[in-house]
Amino acid sequence: QVQVVESGGGLVQSGGSLTLSCAVSGFTGRSNSMSWYRQAPGKERELVATVYTGGGSTKYSESVKGRFTISRGDTLNTATLQMNTLRPEDTAVYYCTVDIWGNDYWGQGTQVSVSS
């Protein structure tokens, strides 16, 4: 059974940095892509960043472009999200997802809080 686990969330001051990690287990193949979503209080879920296996291309939301970096780990079934110059507006629960054969599998999420 596919399992997605996020880690690395926490509290950081505005302007600081934080790194989130995602690990996927339960399958032997390679994923098509891995993504990070987030959902802030009172707001809808939004796509933050995606990294694609084929070519390693990435895509970012306009709100995080230039500040966040998504990358694959040594194992293709792992991914990290390096977050720099964090803002209070970045406060949200961050979710990692993996696309396998067109199906998305979600983690439980990790809380990121940025103080003023």
Side-chain angles (χ1 to χ4, degrees):
Q1 183 175 350
V2 177
Q3 184 176 13
V4 182
V5 180
E6 306 99 333
S7 63
L11 176 63
V12 65
Q13 291 185 334
S14 180
S17 300
L18 202 62
T19 301
L20 304 183
S21 298
C22 178
V24 182
S25 62
F27 78 106
T28 59
R30 64 187 301 177
S31 62
N32 295 322
S33 65
M34 296 183 70
S35 300
W36 285 94
Y37 286 79
R38 69 183 181 186
Q39 186 165 22
K43 297 183 179 180
E44 295 184 356
R45 182 186 64 196
E46 66 171 329
L47 176 62
V48 176
T50 300
V51 59
Y52 300 90
T53 299
S57 61
T58 58
K59 183 170 63 178
Y60 300 92
S61 67
E62 290 298 322
S63 62
V64 308
K65 189 176 300 182
R67 299 187 299 118
F68 291 10
T69 302
I70 186 172
S71 62
R72 305 294 287 269
D74 294 335
T75 301
L76 291 179
N77 293 328
T78 62
T80 62
L81 183 67
Q82 178 64 49
M83 305 182 294
N84 299 319
T85 319
L86 284 163
R87 307 165 180 169
E89 293 76 21
D90 295 319
T91 296
V93 177
Y94 284 71
Y95 299 91
C96 178
T97 67
V98 57
D99 179 4
I100 304 174
W101 278 30
N103 296 315
D104 292 332
Y105 299 86
W106 293 72
Q108 293 296 318
T110 184
Q111 176 69 49
V112 172
S113 299
V114 184
S115 63
S116 302

